[in-house]
Amino acid sequence: MMRTDGSTPVNPDPAFWRGRRVLLTGHTGFKGGWLALWLHRLGARVTGIALPPAGAPNLYTLARVGELCDSHFIDIRDGRAVKDRVRRSEPEIVFHLAAQALVRAGYEDPPATYATNVMGTVHVLDALRGLESVRAAVMVTTDKVYRNLEQPYPYRENDALGGHDPYSASKAASEMVIASYRDAWLSSQGVAVASARAGNVIGGGDWAADRLIPDAVRCWRAGQALPVRRPQATRPWQHVLEPVAAYLRLAEILHGQPALAGAYNFGPHTHEAATVRQVIGQARLAYGGGDVQWGDGAEGPHEAGWLALEVARARTELGVRPRWGLQESVSRTMTWYRRQCEGADARALCEADIQAFEAAGTAS
């Protein structure tokens, strides 16, 4: 079993990915779009399954992600269509990112949230049963799968799962599904299955509603004040390339060392969890200003106030550790949006960030 002290972060290995057949669900989304771009850069042959991109602008369209993969618009709630496309693509590696990923949207439509996040996960995993080609599956959940006790305690992979809101509960339930399929079928079939629990992600190309940085960009471009409901809410913020690199590394390790299957946290160092107020402060500096309307934390439905992750397992067993701190992550994110607004090509901006991220790993 390979272990590392995490002193040198490891970049994805082009030799491993070149020509590798990869199935990626959620490639039309924010994080999935970045992963599709990096997989293409590495030489992988990617089949994408997802709903059409939601709204405009969106990263899938602006970065022309569909040109770089075999793209299929399929609802993961449609088990028969998912199984048919998975079997046709004969993947060696699977990344499952397709999800209903917003807390407040979960409150607005709980049935759709549970159907997408729980049964969608069932459909993807069930399609792998009996499929000889597949060797590893990285199932992306969230840092919100833990039963949050509102204590200043970084959650570890073996802590209790739970969820007050429908989004969090649906992701915790999907963790149970993942473990069941791994233990009941896929492990004995030779498929290494892991769940990836990443902290809050920021980066260029996210235009989803009700997310902090996209909301800030929209408000400030329009000359409006950004309403912030919970300025003291603390989260493990990280640039999108941190978890995307971790997913790639995890898949590589699982392919050769299936005994390392299981759950992994991915996020910044525990002491670097930051408040919403701190993130917005950095964003205003990088953007050059922007008005904010600070709330008192009482508005809207319940959301966890404090959340941090223990990431020691990712560091010791995968060689994954953070590269960009909060200031660098926010600065790069705001620069991406500013340059894209000025006319820069979205794909080129993403590729430049990927190159810089790889270089940061080499230099560490």
Side-chain angles (χ1 to χ4, degrees):
M1 179 182 297
M2 184 215 75
R3 297 179 71 89
T4 174
D5 64 2
S7 59
T8 304
V10 183
N11 284 325
D13 181 7
F16 174 86
W17 291 104
R18 191 171 300 114
R20 187 81 61 181
R21 296 189 306 279
V22 176
L23 177 78
L24 169 59
T25 75
H27 68 297
T28 62
F30 165 53
K31 205 187 308 184
W34 278 90
L35 180 52
L37 289 167
W38 205 342
L39 282 166
H40 176 77
R41 174 181 172 84
L42 292 166
R45 296 161 55 190
V46 180
T47 297
I49 291 176
L51 292 174
N58 62 79
L59 185 63
Y60 177 82
T61 300
L62 290 177
R64 307 178 301 286
V65 173
E67 298 175 359
L68 308 180
C69 61
D70 182 19
S71 179
H72 299 271
F73 294 155
I74 296 172
D75 191 329
I76 60 168
R77 293 173 293 185
D78 185 342
R80 181 174 298 178
V82 169
K83 179 171 286 190
D84 178 68
R85 180 47 53 189
V86 171
R87 296 301 177 101
R88 287 173 180 268
S89 66
E90 296 186 325
E92 300 166 81
I93 305 290
V94 173
F95 293 102
H96 175 49
L97 278 70
Q100 192 300 96
L102 299 172
V103 171
R104 285 165 71 91
Y107 277 111
E108 293 165 3
D109 194 347
T113 298
Y114 286 111
T116 300
N117 293 349
V118 181
M119 290 309 300
T121 299
V122 169
H123 293 153
V124 172
L125 287 167
D126 203 61
L128 306 184
R129 288 200 297 142
L131 186 61
E132 295 182 358
S133 63
V134 66
R135 287 295 173 265
V138 174
M139 313 296 290
V140 174
T141 60
T142 175
D143 58 350
K144 296 173 182 63
V145 298
Y146 296 107
R147 184 163 60 90
N148 196 303
L149 303 176
E150 297 290 356
Q151 297 176 351
Y153 166 84
Y155 291 96
R156 295 166 172 82
E157 288 87 350
N158 59 356
D159 281 331
L161 302 177
H164 180 282
D165 64 274
Y167 167 71
S168 301
S170 70
K171 284 296 195 173
S174 75
E175 288 277 355
M176 301 295 289
V177 169
I178 293 163
S180 172
Y181 268 86
R182 178 175 56 239
D183 296 343
W185 295 287
L186 296 177
S187 180
S188 61
Q189 184 182 310
V191 183
V193 181
S195 63
R197 306 167 181 174
N200 286 46
V201 172
I202 60 175
D206 184 6
W207 281 280
D210 205 33
R211 283 196 181 134
L212 185 62
I213 295 297
D215 284 350
V217 170
R218 277 188 288 267
C219 287
W220 295 344
R221 282 183 179 175
Q224 300 171 354
L226 168 69
V228 176
R229 298 188 304 275
R230 293 177 172 85
Q232 294 309 119
T234 301
R235 297 288 187 270
W237 305 93
Q238 59 186 328
H239 192 275
V240 63
L241 288 176
E242 302 279 7
V244 168
Y247 303 158
L248 291 166
R249 177 63 175 168
L250 177 56
E252 291 179 21
I253 295 296
L254 292 177
H255 188 274
Q257 300 179 69
L260 291 179
Y264 289 85
N265 288 338
F266 298 119
H269 298 295
T270 301
H271 68 277
E272 292 179 342
T275 66
V276 169
R277 186 182 291 274
Q278 289 173 303
V279 173
I280 289 300
Q282 293 289 342
R284 293 176 73 185
L285 286 174
Y287 194 78
D291 293 333
V292 182
Q293 180 181 341
W294 300 107
D296 60 6
E299 180 186 354
H302 173 273
E303 294 185 50
W306 196 95
L307 179 58
L309 298 175
E310 172 58 68
V311 294
R313 187 183 189 199
R315 182 180 66 251
T316 58
E317 296 190 345
L318 306 177
V320 170
R321 64 182 178 88
R323 304 186 194 186
W324 289 345
L326 180 65
Q327 181 177 355
E328 178 81 4
S329 298
V330 175
S331 175
R332 286 189 173 275
T333 298
M334 302 309 288
T335 297
W336 194 104
Y337 283 111
R338 186 174 62 252
R339 294 194 60 200
Q340 188 275 328
C341 184
E342 293 168 349
D345 178 71
R347 186 193 292 179
L349 292 172
C350 291
E351 290 173 346
D353 275 349
I354 292 171
Q355 286 182 329
F357 190 85
E358 290 174 331
T362 303
S364 296

